[in-house]
Amino acid sequence: MIVLVLILFFHFFLGFVIDNSKTKFMAYFFGFISLMITLLLTWGIKYTADTEMYNVFYEIQWKDNDLLYFFLTKKLNQFGFSYFDLYKFYIVTYILLHYYLISRFNKNVFYIFLVYFILNYVQFVNQIRYYMAFPLFLLSLYFFIIEKKIILAIIFTMLAFISHSAIALLYVFVPMFYFLNTKTYFKTVFLISGIVFLIVLALFQFGLATYLEHFGEYFNSEMTSSFLGGLFNALPSFVYIIFLYILDKKYRMKYEYKNDKYYQFISKLSFFTVIFIPSSFFIQVLGNRYVFPFLIIWVIHILYIIRNFSLFITQTIFKK
């Protein structure tokens, strides 16, 4: 226990030092160290909850799988590689994609990724198709909304779609980003989450969900839980979102944010997940797909607020 506390303290301390460093060398150095640690902790994995299923998909070259997985399965089989070679390719690729994503917003990749990786480790190493699609999805939004690079956005969107079809649902964020006001965004999303919860509950109760393409399997008995069990599972995310909302609201009261495209992007993206939290109380896979992976955005968001809020206070005092 003492060792874990010391490691945690050391991690926070290094994160603080990196965040306040005037040069990028330290950030790059410890970013590389965390990359090596991550690869070390994932490279030798031989079994996860989905290993047997993925192995069967690989051996029979199942055509009804997501297009990218089927394509890679076919090609690697031709060259005599095993499923574990494919698994390593997925793991390394989406670790690098997550690193690149973080670097678009913050130099402190070391701190952000290790928090995300440690708290989300089980899902991260288990759901390889989805965690390939997720950073591709986020990067497609980044290039479309922030960088205005439409061609790159289209390429990453297509790659996200062929990596995991369930990622398509998250693209409702695009119209929400442009049409919902930042000041009232959280309240609107909270209202939408209630509506979504009632719809999902109705689909679940009347057995209509099983007819939905791909998403019907989420409503199988193996994918559902009791309300209290789901609430316990989703409670950490709910608490974190509430804390982030309080911090974000105070930030908006003191800091000019209307022309800050980075803030508006990560703020709206953070609270977008609220839509799925109530439904995840009894369908845990919704939390695993559409809530927990956004932890990486939550950490980026909170560091962005803390850094700029501190800068705002410093500038205000200096002017006085």
Side-chain angles (χ1 to χ4, degrees):
M1 183 65 181
I2 296 176
V3 174
L4 289 176
V5 172
L6 289 175
I7 292 174
L8 183 64
F9 175 79
F10 182 67
H11 176 245
F12 281 130
F13 175 75
L14 271 182
F16 176 79
V17 172
I18 293 170
D19 213 42
N20 289 274
S21 175
K22 295 181 180 179
T23 64
K24 293 184 178 181
F25 172 78
M26 184 174 291
Y28 290 149
F29 175 76
F30 282 103
F32 177 77
I33 294 298
S34 65
L35 176 62
M36 292 299 102
I37 293 173
T38 305
L39 292 175
L40 181 65
L41 293 175
T42 56
W43 189 259
I45 293 176
K46 294 294 183 180
Y47 185 83
T48 68
D50 289 341
T51 297
E52 294 181 4
M53 177 188 72
Y54 280 130
N55 202 20
V56 171
F57 288 166
Y58 186 83
E59 290 178 355
I60 67 174
Q61 299 183 43
W62 190 42
K63 294 181 179 180
D64 292 333
N65 214 316
D66 292 295
L67 185 58
L68 180 63
Y69 189 87
F70 172 67
F71 173 78
L72 292 173
T73 294
K74 189 174 181 180
K75 292 300 179 184
L76 267 65
N77 261 302
Q78 289 177 355
F79 291 99
F81 290 103
S82 70
Y83 160 70
F84 293 104
D85 295 313
L86 175 63
Y87 179 82
K88 290 176 181 178
F89 171 81
Y90 263 85
I91 286 286
V92 172
T93 302
Y94 65 68
I95 284 175
L96 294 176
L97 285 171
H98 279 89
Y99 263 66
Y100 179 71
L101 170 70
I102 296 170
S103 69
R104 300 304 88 195
F105 298 95
N106 196 308
K107 66 179 182 180
N108 201 347
V109 180
F110 167 82
Y111 178 85
I112 296 171
F113 186 77
L114 278 188
V115 170
Y116 176 67
F117 179 71
I118 292 170
L119 295 180
N120 205 35
Y121 178 78
V122 174
Q123 302 298 337
F124 189 84
V125 300
N126 190 47
Q127 301 179 33
I128 59 173
R129 290 177 301 159
Y130 189 80
Y131 277 89
M132 177 71 85
F134 188 69
L136 291 169
F137 156 72
L138 292 177
L139 285 168
S140 71
L141 295 183
Y142 171 80
F143 285 119
F144 181 73
I145 295 173
I146 302 296
E147 294 291 335
K148 308 296 183 184
K149 296 179 179 179
I150 307 303
I151 295 178
L152 274 176
I154 293 173
I155 292 172
F156 276 91
T157 298
M158 292 176 63
L159 288 173
F161 279 161
I162 66 174
S163 296
H164 202 295
S165 57
I167 206 71
L169 185 59
L170 293 179
Y171 278 93
V172 300
F173 171 76
V174 176
M176 290 177 63
F177 175 83
Y178 285 106
F179 295 112
L180 296 183
N181 182 273
T182 304
K183 189 175 182 179
T184 58
Y185 184 83
F186 183 85
K187 294 179 180 178
T188 306
V189 167
F190 189 78
L191 176 63
I192 294 173
S193 73
I195 297 172
V196 171
F197 175 79
L198 293 176
I199 293 173
V200 170
L201 184 62
L203 291 172
F204 181 73
Q205 291 295 328
F206 293 104
L208 300 175
T210 55
Y211 296 99
L212 297 176
E213 181 67 24
H214 181 83
F215 297 97
E217 65 186 51
Y218 290 179
F219 293 80
N220 292 337
S221 58
E222 295 180 356
M223 296 290 190
T224 59
S225 67
S226 66
F227 180 80
L228 289 178
L231 179 62
F232 178 79
N233 186 60
L235 189 60
S237 300
F238 186 74
V239 171
Y240 197 102
I241 282 290
I242 294 299
F243 170 74
L244 191 54
Y245 170 71
I246 294 171
L247 192 63
D248 187 82
K249 186 176 181 180
K250 290 182 178 180
Y251 175 81
R252 283 188 281 108
M253 291 172 61
K254 295 182 177 292
Y255 194 80
E256 176 57 45
Y257 63 89
K258 293 182 179 179
N259 296 321
D260 188 342
K261 61 182 180 179
Y262 285 94
Y263 164 77
Q264 297 215 30
F265 178 74
I266 58 177
S267 177
K268 288 185 175 182
L269 196 53
S270 291
F271 298 130
F272 170 68
T273 56
V274 172
I275 292 176
F276 305 102
I277 291 179
S279 300
S280 71
F281 290 165
F282 63 93
I283 304 177
Q284 292 189 20
V285 70
L286 292 180
N288 296 337
R289 291 276 194 271
Y290 304 130
V291 180
F292 304 149
F294 281 88
L295 174 64
I296 195 168
I297 298 298
W298 301 345
V299 179
I300 291 172
H301 186 182
I302 196 169
L303 288 183
Y304 191 86
I305 288 176
I306 292 173
R307 173 185 293 171
N308 285 282
F309 189 67
S310 300
L311 179 61
F312 172 78
I313 293 175
T314 303
Q315 291 175 342
T316 302
I317 294 174
F318 181 76
K319 287 180 180 179
K320 289 182 178 180

